[in-house]
Amino acid sequence: MDDLTEMLKGTLEGCVLEIIGSEETYGYAITRRLHELGFADVVEGTVYTILLRLEKNGLVQVTKRPSGLGPPRKFYALNDAGREELATFWAKWEYITSRIDKLKEGGR
Amino acid sequence: MNFWETMTGSDLTREWKAFEARAEALPADYRAAWEEIKGHLFPYADFTGRNLMPILDGALGLLEETAADGQSIHEVLGDDIEGFCAALAGGEGARSYRDRWREQLNRNVARKLGRLGG
């Protein structure tokens, strides 16, 4: 689907947290995972800025590992604060989607 | 960083040269993107531009890593290099001279309005 960018903005950080939460991973792999999910518009630069923010907010643990080619890769894993943030994200998501679904169904 | 370097910015010149040397090794389309990134980040510089150094280092690192992966520059940065740079600078907490002007303007307007209101 095209033109999701604006709508995705607030949720992409949660998506990245969830992906890191399931296994330690790196930027390119996260971007590919998002593409597989159907978010084809997400570029690695976007993921990179999100990862910077997560790092700055102390939600991830970063490990540098040598890669076969090119410079060492940064691998990201969630720490306790990150897991807490992820739980909060899903709680907020639950709330928003339930409200919007209700709106769509015309209930109150 | 010692006093001499702080005053002359000689460490910045050195760092800058190191960046350019790294950028030289990138593929042509990446080099073009690097030029554009520098242009878009410049407005976020503080007086010496020192605050941009870690941001530029990170951006260059991203370019190096993704070039080694064989990704196209479009896959990495998309169409919106300006937006990418704004997010980068924001993510690092860099404040631009525009922010400071805006604050100054807001303060002055508020003060004058306050005076009018008596």
Side-chain angles (χ1 to χ4, degrees), chain B residues 56-117:
Chain B
L56 285 168
D57 183 39
L60 196 51
L62 173 72
L63 293 181
E64 287 169 337
E65 218 178 285
T66 48
D69 279 332
Q71 300 187 63
S72 78
I73 191 66
H74 191 262
E75 281 174 282
V76 179
L77 295 180
D79 304 316
D80 185 18
I81 295 191
E82 191 173 358
F84 169 71
C85 291
L88 267 189
E92 293 282 330
R95 274 156 36 93
S96 72
Y97 59 84
R98 262 185 291 182
D99 290 330
R100 287 191 290 273
W101 285 346
R102 199 177 300 126
E103 264 167 37
Q104 197 178 17
L105 179 69
N106 285 344
R107 223 173 26 240
N108 289 341
V109 169
R111 206 178 52 223
K112 297 220 161 121
L113 283 179
R115 233 180 261 154
L116 279 180

Side-chain angles (χ1 to χ4, degrees), chain A residues 28 43-45 48 56 69 73, chain B residues 58 68-69 71 75-76 84 91:
Chain A
Y28 188 29
V43 293
E44 179 143 4
Y48 175 73
K56 191 170 147 260
L69 43 150
R73 266 189 207 294
Chain B
D69 279 332
Q71 300 187 63
E75 281 174 282
V76 179
F84 169 71

